[in-house]
Amino acid sequence: MELTPEHIDVIQEMINIGVGQAANMLNSLSGKHVKLSVPIVEVIKSEQLIDFFQAKNVFDNYSSVTLTFSGSLSGSSKLVFPTESASKLVMAFTDQSQDELDFDEIQAETLSEIGNIVLNSLVGSLANLLNINLNYSIPLYLTGTIDQILSADISFKDDGLILLARTHFSIESLEIEGDFILFIDLKSVSEFVNSLDNFVKEGGFFTK
């Protein structure tokens, strides 16, 4: 089963709702004015995803946070930041500098917390609007090349559905860019599409 343009529009709007929730929570957590935006969501194949990151060429290493989920749907969601963006984000939230001896530990803890908030909000908005019950794992923080980060994710090897959206964090004049990736396991794709169809048939956002 494939996603139609209407499906993509619905997913986009659901993710935007999650983005608003995540921004509010990050504002409360940091005490700073945090704006989040997600441009167009696109369906992408696994080889295209790797090409997408490798085409940037300027970033060898990335920092990522992965939230795996199971239940009516199974798969994983991921936030991926270039190393420089990850450090900027952590410094904006903690007021710590990269000169700190334990900055790597601070970065791992901070990005895990930020990633957990953002991913829970984005995936949670989809699940709530589609009336799907999901169970979430503990967030996994990982650094390395994009190949290392993706190959560590079982969902990526599943040849299921992959959704990609650029994510912009605006924090007190800082512009930080990352990528939100949603993997839906192959066995769950039909259920996901059916849930989207039912949402549209029931009136979509006009009834929410």
Side-chain angles (χ1 to χ4, degrees):
M1 300 182 75
E2 294 185 358
L3 293 180
T4 66
E6 185 176 20
H7 288 145
I8 300 295
D9 288 342
V10 169
I11 293 169
Q12 173 83 42
E13 189 57 38
M14 289 179 174
I15 289 178
N16 281 333
I17 291 171
V19 161
Q21 296 170 349
N24 289 335
M25 293 180 70
L26 292 176
N27 282 331
S28 300
L29 176 69
S30 66
K32 298 178 166 87
H33 183 57
V34 179
K35 287 182 64 179
L36 278 176
S37 64
V38 177
I40 300 300
V41 175
E42 58 181 315
V43 179
I44 193 168
K45 296 183 182 297
S46 56
E47 59 269 20
Q48 293 173 317
L49 184 62
I50 293 175
D51 290 343
F52 169 78
F53 282 100
Q54 290 181 338
K56 298 178 184 180
N57 218 13
V58 287
F59 304 116
D60 292 327
N61 287 303
Y62 292 82
S63 296
S64 69
V65 180
T66 301
L67 189 69
T68 303
F69 53 86
S70 59
S72 300
L73 297 178
S74 60
S76 65
S77 56
K78 192 184 299 289
L79 274 180
V80 182
F81 298 98
T83 301
E84 184 179 353
S85 288
S87 298
K88 283 182 181 179
L89 188 59
V90 171
M91 288 187 285
F93 268 80
T94 65
D95 294 322
Q96 301 288 327
S97 73
Q98 286 180 279
D99 297 331
E100 301 285 342
L101 291 176
D102 57 349
F103 185 78
D104 286 346
E105 182 178 342
I106 293 171
Q107 177 162 305
E109 292 176 356
T110 304
L111 282 182
S112 293
E113 186 170 4
I114 292 171
N116 191 38
I117 290 171
V118 174
L119 293 173
N120 261 295
S121 296
L122 298 186
V123 178
S125 68
L126 281 168
N128 291 337
L129 288 164
L130 295 176
N131 294 316
I132 292 172
N133 293 318
L134 295 179
N135 301 309
Y136 301 98
S137 67
I138 296 172
L140 174 65
Y141 174 77
L142 187 65
T143 60
T145 65
I146 195 60
D147 284 337
Q148 291 170 332
I149 287 172
L150 293 177
S151 63
D153 196 321
I154 296 174
S155 297
F156 179 69
K157 304 171 185 175
D158 183 57
D159 200 28
L161 178 67
I162 304 175
L163 298 169
L164 171 68
R166 311 245 51 192
T167 309
H168 295 274
F169 290 73
S170 297
I171 308 170
E172 296 184 350
S173 79
L174 281 177
E175 295 296 327
I176 299 167
E177 190 172 86
D179 296 289
F180 168 63
I181 308 168
L182 179 65
F183 299 106
I184 303 293
D185 288 350
L186 185 60
K187 63 183 180 182
S188 298
V189 172
S190 292
E191 177 67 26
F192 183 54
V193 174
N194 288 335
S195 296
L196 289 168
D197 284 337
N198 290 335
F199 180 82
V200 172
K201 287 177 184 175
E202 292 171 3
F205 293 101
F206 294 107
T207 61
K208 303 298 173 182

